[in-house]
Amino acid sequence: MGTWIAPSAIERELYAAKTAGDWAAYFDVLARTPLYVAQSRKRSDAHPDSVFFHATPDRTLVVHTAGMLPAPTPETVYESRSLRWFAEVWAADDPAFLAVNPRSPVEAYLTTAPADLARWRAHAEAAPHYGLPEGKVHALFTGGPLHGPVAHGLAVGGHLAVTNGEFWNSLAYHGSGYQYERRRVAKSWSITDRPDWLATLDTLLDRGMVSPVWEYALRVRRALASDFAGPVDIEHWRHAAEASLRRNAERAAEPQLTPDGVTVARPRPAAEVEGEIAGVKRLIGRITRYEQRFRADGLLPEDGWVRSVEGWDIGRASQMARWGVGCRYGTLAEAEKAVLRAGEAARETYRSWAEFSAGYILGRCLHFDEEEFGTWYTTALAAHLALTTDPASPWLNIPWN
C-alpha cells in the first residue's frame, strides 16, 4: 500500500481486492457497506425523503465509503444507500458510471448497464450483513484520533458506538446519513433543531438526566464505604439512607435564618416521607441485584460495586456531540469541546474504564431494563466485553488518566 493508509477496514478490504484483481471480492465489500452520495443541504431539507443524483460533466455519480467521507460542512450533506438500492433505482437516463472513492488507491469506475445492475443485485443478495457489524469495535485508522484527550472523550461514548456498529473515534461524524441522523435524534430525544441539541448536550454534560434518587442512594453507600474502609452491608446501607432522609425531612420542618430573614418552615407530609424512604429501600435492593448479576457476568470484580450512575449521562453526551455534527445542529469545534468535557467528567467521577462502564450500564438498566436482563442489558454487556477484550479497543490503548 506504499505510504497510503486505508482509513478503515472497509477501504483496506477494497484495496486488497483491487490489487489482487479480484473484482468479485470488491463487489462483495461494496454490497455490504453503505455508499454515501453528496446532497445540497438546502435541497435535502426541502425534500427529506429524496436522494438526488448530481452527475459530473463526464456523466459520473460519485459515492464514498464511510472511511473516505470528507469532513462535514454546513452546505453539503451526505445520504447513505446500499448497492442494492442503487441497482433498483438506476434509470436509463442516470449517469453512465458510478465512481467509488475517486482519486484514491481504492477507486473504481463502475459501468451501469442492465447487466451491471443485475451483478450488483446478485452480490447484495449474497451479502452476509449490511453495514459494520454491531457489537464490535470499529475504528478509523486515519481521520479520527486514536490517542490523546479527544480520543479519550470519544472512547467514553464507546458503548453506543460498539452497540450501533460505528467508528468509535469518528468526530467528523456522518453516521448513517444526514436525514437518518435527524430522524433518529427526533424520535429518541425529541431534538429537532440546534437549540434542542444544545440544551440536551448541556444537560447530559452536567449529568442532569440521571435520576437524583439513584445518585443519592449510591452517594450514601460511597460515604459509608469511605467511613468504614470496606464493603457495606445492604441492611446497613438501607438504614443509613433512611436515617439521612429522616434528617432531611426534619430540617425542612425547622425555620431557617437567611439573609432575607426567617424562612417559614415547610414540613413535609409524613406519608410522603415514608413513601420516599420505602422507595429508596426498594431501589437499594434493585441495585444490589444488578450488581450481583454484574459480578457473575464479569462487569464487576468479586467484591466490586458501582460508584455512580453519572457515566450513563457522560457516555451519551460524548455520542450526542457527534450526533449534532451529523445533523448539522453543531460544528466540529463545538463537538470537540463537548467530547473533551465528557472525558473530564468521566475522570472526575470514576477511576478506570471498568468503573465507568459499570456505572454506565447500571444507569441504562435502571432506566430501561426493569430487572428483565433483556436486550437493554445484554447489548450493553456485549459492548463492555468487546471494549475490555479487543486488542484494538481504545479502553486497552488509552490510559484512563
Side-chain angles (χ1 to χ4, degrees), residues 216-218 220-221 233-242 277-291:
Y216 166 79
L218 293 171
V220 169
R221 181 172 59 177
D233 176 79
I234 184 172
E235 291 307 321
H236 185 190
W237 182 11
R238 282 174 165 151
H239 177 76
E242 178 179 356
I277 290 170
V280 169
K281 286 183 173 181
R282 286 195 302 272
L283 173 63
I284 289 172
R286 191 178 178 199
I287 291 171
T288 301
R289 290 188 291 275
Y290 269 115
E291 289 176 333

Side-chain angles (χ1 to χ4, degrees), residues 6-147:
S8 77
I10 299 167
E11 294 77 30
R12 182 179 287 175
E13 290 185 42
L14 289 174
Y15 185 85
K18 181 180 177 181
T19 53
D22 188 348
W23 289 102
Y26 191 97
F27 277 101
D28 284 340
V29 178
L30 288 187
R32 62 177 186 266
T33 188
L35 302 175
Y36 293 80
V37 57
Q39 304 283 286
S40 157
R41 179 181 173 185
K42 183 177 180 180
R43 194 174 187 187
S44 181
D45 286 341
H47 306 278
D49 297 322
S50 300
V51 173
F52 299 94
F53 289 179
H54 302 287
T56 63
D58 57 356
R59 299 185 62 219
T60 296
L61 177 67
V62 174
V63 295
H64 299 280
T65 51
M68 299 292 290
L69 281 165
T73 63
E75 300 81 14
T76 302
V77 297
Y78 288 82
E79 297 296 348
S80 75
R81 294 293 187 271
S82 66
L83 187 66
R84 180 196 294 271
W85 180 87
F86 283 103
E88 291 174 349
V89 304
W90 211 275
D93 57 349
D94 281 330
F97 301 94
L98 183 71
V100 179
N101 297 330
R103 297 179 297 282
S104 79
V106 294
E107 70 176 2
Y109 289 81
L110 311 179
T111 51
T112 59
D116 300 309
L117 303 182
R119 183 184 187 187
W120 299 359
R121 284 191 292 269
H123 282 275
E125 290 167 1
H129 61 83
Y130 177 68
L132 295 172
E134 296 177 354
K136 298 183 180 297
V137 178
H138 304 286
L140 289 171
F141 310 132
T142 62
L146 293 166
H147 302 283

Side-chain angles (χ1 to χ4, degrees), residues 368-393:
F368 287 118
D369 185 61
E370 299 290 340
E371 287 192 77
E372 294 177 356
F373 298 98
T375 55
W376 289 110
Y377 172 67
T378 56
T379 54
L381 173 63
H384 170 89
L385 295 175
L387 286 161
T388 53
T389 60
D390 189 324
S393 167

Side-chain angles (χ1 to χ4, degrees), residues 204-226:
L204 289 170
L205 287 169
D206 291 338
R207 286 85 100 189
M209 287 195 181
V210 167
S211 168
V213 179
W214 307 344
E215 201 58 27
Y216 166 79
L218 293 171
R219 187 166 59 249
V220 169
R221 181 172 59 177
R222 285 202 305 273
L224 292 173
S226 176

